[in-house]
Amino acid sequence: MSRADGANREDGAVAGIRSAAAGTATGGAGANLLALRSHNTALVLDLLRTAGSDGISRLELAERTGLTPQAVSKITGRLREEGLAAEAGRRASTGGKPRTVLRLVPGAGHAVGVHLDRDEARVVLCDLAGTVLAEARSALHLGAGADAVVERTARQVEELLPGARGALLGVGVALPGPLDHARGVLHRVTGFPEWDGFPLRDALARRLGRPVVVDKDTNAAALGLAVAGEGGSFAYLHLGTGLGAGLVIGGSVHRGARTGAGEFGHQVIRLDGPVCGCGDRGCIEALCLAAVARGDLAAAARVLGTGAANLVGLLDIDLVLLGGRTVAAAPGEFVRGVAAVLAERARRKGTPGDPIPVRLAAGGSRGVAQGAAQLMLAPLFGRRDG
Amino acid sequence: MSRADGANREDGAVAGIRSAAAGTATGGAGANLLALRSHNTALVLDLLRTAGSDGISRLELAERTGLTPQAVSKITGRLREEGLAAEAGRRASTGGKPRTVLRLVPGAGHAVGVHLDRDEARVVLCDLAGTVLAEARSALHLGAGADAVVERTARQVEELLPGARGALLGVGVALPGPLDHARGVLHRVTGFPEWDGFPLRDALARRLGRPVVVDKDTNAAALGLAVAGEGGSFAYLHLGTGLGAGLVIGGSVHRGARTGAGEFGHQVIRLDGPVCGCGDRGCIEALCLAAVARGDLAAAARVLGTGAANLVGLLDIDLVLLGGRTVAAAPGEFVRGVAAVLAERARRKGTPGDPIPVRLAAGGSRGVAQGAAQLMLAPLFGRRDG
DNA sequence: CCCACTTTCGCAACGCTGTTGCCAAAGTGC
DNA sequence: GCACTTTGGCAACAGCGTTGCGAAAGTGGG
């Protein structure tokens, strides 16, 4: 069995090649040289992005990727030719030639993120680093019909475009409710049956003449957090007018085959409990929002924490992030309450190590729109669907 | 932005390269040519395995992988040289030279799977195709101490080894309870505190002089089912003396950073419900087993179904498989009951498409041991940790 | 039976990947 | 000022999948 020689690897690097089968035909997952280059380039680009304005040296890139310094030199050479990377000074010498620091050129590419919330539209223009360069907000009336909303959104996007000196990669759109990420079709928009099955991605792409990607708001927010540096696997729990989750597993957003993943609000945690709007009984969302409505934030946090603990146990994730308007109104209360439930359950199970941390999600009310822009940017850095 | 040219790919093939970063150094996820070859070889090998004794032609391999026919010829040529693949007749002509059929040579490699259950040890010898060539069972007394169990298990393994004419890849061990898959260390064995922190993998590997991998029984069972052909993402729910789950996401077992994923039995689904053995209240396991104890299988199935529906909603998986002694005692009842809850929830949510199917897991009482053997075999076919 | 055609599949040349060997450049420190 | 260390580019290289082409092995019409 000489086939084993390629298999004995350590765990981190084992997750190496899967994202890069670019350049091959449609069907399988076979990888060719173009795919290889694409993968390694994305990896280097992601490290440059993460390093930010501090920059990162070639040798450090080599260490982090496991590639040889010479390979990194070739890759960064191409990136510099394309204008995506640039030299940015040098580090202090350690007894020899000092390392040259490289950094990402943020202005080399841009993307627009659109957040269609229930009553407000928010559009941001971001550069490659994810920095918001321009922003616009306006009231949103879904009842005006799909065509009107598409037209109005398109105009808002176009108003921001002059801010993008570099190329525009495309537009990412995030909105609540069930939809098909792969096809860009909305399944249903609560309260507006005329939207059922609307092909938002294609409609907006045709109107703008640019690539468009559509995703759930919770997924966009989670992607934004992942790109912003939250490593490993985590859950973003969004408690606003509803309750939903975005799951990041191994750095990629987990959507499931039907973009249905993250259905957190209607997890049943009290069998035969009070009836929820969905028709079921004892859903987290109903229990949690009822507690909020009667002002009992401790109870709301405990309910949320129970659901979070179920999720943490099921997926063994590393971190829980909380967000949404309701959480933002009393962040400490929710973070402490959820953390307490998690700590209590971890104590009971006696698992070694520290309990799973709970934090308030960064990004605030702009997080979803920024994450929506990342729907177009993240693939450049090797982050695809989980 | 000429960087985009490598990025515009379709979704299926996008998942291409990640598993193959073999041959590089320790840290990152950079991929080199050896990794590329390793990945594509594993892909071809997996298709050969899946095709079974029917075999598969080179051109079909090319279509399925997205590689060119010539690349497939080179890869299968290497595999034939190494004795892993062989020609197996030819197909009917379609007007030209008939396609040559290739098949996996199952005897080219073997692995041993060990299932340490609470009261019984089960050892199987499998070939590359996963076929069980030899089997042994014996009573297991964990109270005899770690050294005695390791020694006894090692002897059982050695007794089966003569059945492996080809090379032995190693031994996979599956057992219940929390453990560290990456390090091969048991955290805790219920009822036997002397096992706490025992480095089972290293102890058995030293004794046998062969590679050993350790995993939870539910994960092994799920891996076995995945390799046996259950595609996509699914959950294996095991209801025996306890209740646990094995999660397969995108063809790979999802373990989480601490091998803790699949903690399903202690998901709380009835807040303030009856006290469970774990100290919490309203755990699925407690509710389900209590219902079984009082003979109310319909209630047990409903509880299990509620947990399954939570899981399906959270992860958007494609399939639920049921197994374990308790399920095996009344499979129809459980399958129907769980399916009914899933169908009801799907109906309420009004999601398009068929409801998620529920089936009895194949493999029966031997499934875990076979899955344990796959812990060693599956990496050859490109299946690594999710 | 022969010949044109189709289809499979291997050989050889090729382009491109990361790798290796080597050396110039650019510092430190005695 | 010189020895040394460290960085990083140039050039040659091995090996990957790809392309061009032709031999092999069938079918089917004349």
Side-chain angles (χ1 to χ4, degrees):
Chain A
M1 285 281 322
S2 57
R3 175 82 270 100
D5 54 10
N8 41 4
R9 282 299 316 296
E10 286 197 44
D11 224 40
V14 154
I17 286 202
R18 195 164 294 157
S19 71
T24 47
T26 49
N32 54 21
L33 290 172
L34 182 56
L36 187 73
R37 184 181 68 179
S38 209
H39 170 77
N40 287 338
T41 304
L43 216 59
V44 168
L45 219 39
D46 194 45
L47 289 172
L48 288 171
R49 185 188 60 79
T50 308
S53 53
D54 293 344
I56 184 171
S57 71
R58 287 179 182 80
L59 285 177
E60 203 176 340
L61 286 170
E63 285 170 24
R64 301 272 290 269
T65 57
L67 297 171
T68 59
Q70 192 55 250
V72 170
S73 272
K74 284 191 179 180
I75 292 168
T76 55
R78 282 197 302 261
L79 290 176
R80 289 194 314 169
E81 270 186 21
E82 297 171 10
L84 286 169
E87 295 197 347
R90 30 187 61 184
R91 292 224 194 290
S93 167
T94 61
K97 178 175 176 176
R99 302 184 173 186
T100 311
V101 173
L102 301 172
R103 63 170 180 80
L104 184 67
V105 177
H110 299 83
V112 172
V114 177
H115 179 192
L116 301 180
D117 212 347
R118 300 191 193 276
D119 51 2
E120 183 191 59
R122 193 168 194 137
V123 185
V124 297
L125 173 70
C126 295
D127 61 18
L128 284 186
T131 308
V132 174
L133 303 178
E135 183 176 8
R137 296 169 65 177
S138 71
L140 179 67
H141 302 292
L142 289 169
D147 291 341
V149 170
V150 166
E151 178 58 29
R152 190 188 169 111
T153 302
R155 289 198 186 162
Q156 275 191 286
V157 170
E158 284 169 339
E159 281 170 19
L160 294 188
L161 286 190
R165 284 156 308 184
L168 186 80
L169 288 160
V171 180
V173 182
L175 70 168
L179 53 83
D180 183 333
H181 166 72
R183 303 172 194 275
V185 173
L186 310 187
H187 290 156
R188 190 161 30 80
V189 178
T190 314
F192 301 93
E194 65 267 32
W195 281 81
D196 284 13
F198 182 71
L200 177 58
R201 183 190 63 187
D202 292 346
L204 194 56
R206 193 166 41 241
R207 167 64 180 78
L208 282 167
R210 300 179 183 279
V212 173
V213 172
V214 172
D215 205 353
K216 292 203 290 187
D217 51 1
T218 45
N219 286 345
L223 176 62
L225 293 165
V227 170
E230 303 292 0
S233 304
F234 65 87
Y236 168 70
L237 305 182
H238 184 100
L239 180 59
T241 54
L243 173 59
L247 305 177
V248 173
I249 297 178
S252 303
V253 174
H254 173 73
R255 297 185 175 91
R258 289 155 292 273
T259 330
E263 183 54 82
F264 183 68
H266 299 288
Q267 302 258 306
V268 172
I269 62 165
R270 192 193 292 274
L271 274 172
D272 309 318
V275 174
C276 171
C278 75
D280 218 328
R281 290 166 157 274
C283 299
I284 301 184
E285 181 177 297
L287 296 172
C288 196
L289 290 178
V292 170
R294 67 174 186 266
D296 189 350
L297 293 188
R302 180 172 162 250
V303 167
L304 191 60
T306 301
N310 282 354
L311 192 161
V312 166
L314 189 66
L315 294 177
D316 190 16
I317 55 172
D318 311 318
L319 172 67
V320 172
L321 294 171
L322 304 181
R325 295 180 199 177
T326 308
V327 169
E333 195 104 16
F334 277 102
V335 168
R336 277 194 304 274
V338 171
V341 179
L342 289 185
E344 173 66 10
R345 195 165 314 179
R347 192 188 60 74
R348 285 210 178 96
K349 286 176 52 186
T351 33
D354 295 329
I356 303 303
V358 179
R359 295 209 309 268
L360 189 67
S365 62
R366 214 166 59 178
V368 174
Q370 281 186 272
Q374 290 293 346
L375 290 171
M376 297 299 317
L377 297 175
L380 272 183
F381 305 108
R383 293 169 187 268
R384 321 242 168 173
D385 304 5
Chain B
M1 284 280 322
S2 56
R3 176 81 269 99
D5 53 8
N8 42 3
R9 281 300 315 297
E10 288 198 40
D11 223 41
V14 154
I17 286 203
R18 194 164 294 156
S19 71
T24 46
T26 48
N32 54 21
L33 291 172
L34 182 56
L36 188 72
R37 184 180 70 178
S38 210
H39 170 77
N40 287 337
T41 303
L43 216 59
V44 168
L45 220 40
D46 195 45
L47 289 172
L48 287 170
R49 184 187 62 77
T50 308
S53 54
D54 292 345
I56 185 171
S57 71
R58 289 178 180 80
L59 284 177
E60 203 176 341
L61 286 170
E63 283 170 25
R64 301 272 290 269
T65 56
L67 298 171
T68 59
Q70 191 59 342
V72 170
S73 272
K74 283 192 179 178
I75 292 168
T76 55
R78 283 197 301 262
L79 291 176
R80 289 194 316 169
E81 269 187 23
E82 296 171 11
L84 285 169
E87 296 196 347
R90 31 188 60 183
R91 291 223 194 289
S93 167
T94 61
K97 177 173 176 176
R99 300 183 174 185
T100 311
V101 173
L102 301 172
R103 63 169 180 79
L104 184 69
V105 177
H110 298 83
V112 172
V114 177
H115 178 193
L116 301 179
D117 211 347
R118 300 192 193 278
D119 51 2
E120 184 191 58
R122 192 165 193 140
V123 184
V124 297
L125 174 70
C126 295
D127 62 19
L128 284 186
T131 308
V132 174
L133 303 179
E135 183 175 8
R137 297 170 63 179
S138 70
L140 180 67
H141 302 292
L142 289 169
D147 292 341
V149 169
V150 166
E151 178 58 30
R152 189 185 170 116
T153 301
R155 290 200 185 161
Q156 275 191 285
V157 170
E158 285 170 340
E159 281 170 20
L160 294 189
L161 287 190
R165 285 156 309 183
L168 186 81
L169 288 161
V171 179
V173 182
L175 69 167
L179 54 82
D180 183 333
H181 167 73
R183 302 173 194 274
V185 173
L186 310 187
H187 290 156
R188 190 160 31 81
V189 178
T190 314
F192 302 94
E194 65 268 32
W195 281 81
D196 283 15
F198 182 71
L200 177 58
R201 182 190 64 187
D202 291 346
L204 194 56
R206 192 163 43 240
R207 166 64 178 78
L208 282 168
R210 299 178 183 279
V212 173
V213 173
V214 172
D215 205 352
K216 293 204 290 187
D217 50 2
T218 45
N219 285 346
L223 175 62
L225 292 165
V227 169
E230 303 292 2
S233 304
F234 65 87
Y236 168 71
L237 305 183
H238 184 100
L239 179 59
T241 54
L243 172 60
L247 305 177
V248 172
I249 297 177
S252 302
V253 174
H254 174 74
R255 297 186 175 90
R258 290 155 291 274
T259 331
E263 182 56 79
F264 182 68
H266 298 288
Q267 302 259 303
V268 172
I269 62 165
R270 193 192 290 277
L271 275 171
D272 309 318
V275 174
C276 171
C278 75
D280 218 327
R281 289 165 159 274
C283 299
I284 300 184
E285 181 177 297
L287 295 172
C288 196
L289 291 177
V292 169
R294 65 174 188 267
D296 190 350
L297 294 189
R302 179 172 163 252
V303 167
L304 190 60
T306 300
N310 282 354
L311 192 160
V312 167
L314 189 67
L315 294 178
D316 190 17
I317 56 172
D318 311 317
L319 172 67
V320 173
L321 294 170
L322 305 181
R325 295 180 200 178
T326 307
V327 169
E333 196 102 17
F334 277 102
V335 168
R336 278 194 302 274
V338 170
V341 178
L342 289 185
E344 172 66 10
R345 194 165 315 179
R347 191 187 62 74
R348 284 209 179 95
K349 285 175 54 187
T351 33
D354 297 329
I356 303 304
V358 179
R359 295 208 311 269
L360 189 66
S365 61
R366 213 164 61 179
V368 174
Q370 280 186 273
Q374 290 292 349
L375 290 171
M376 297 300 315
L377 297 175
L380 272 183
F381 304 108
R383 291 169 187 271
R384 321 244 167 171
D385 303 6

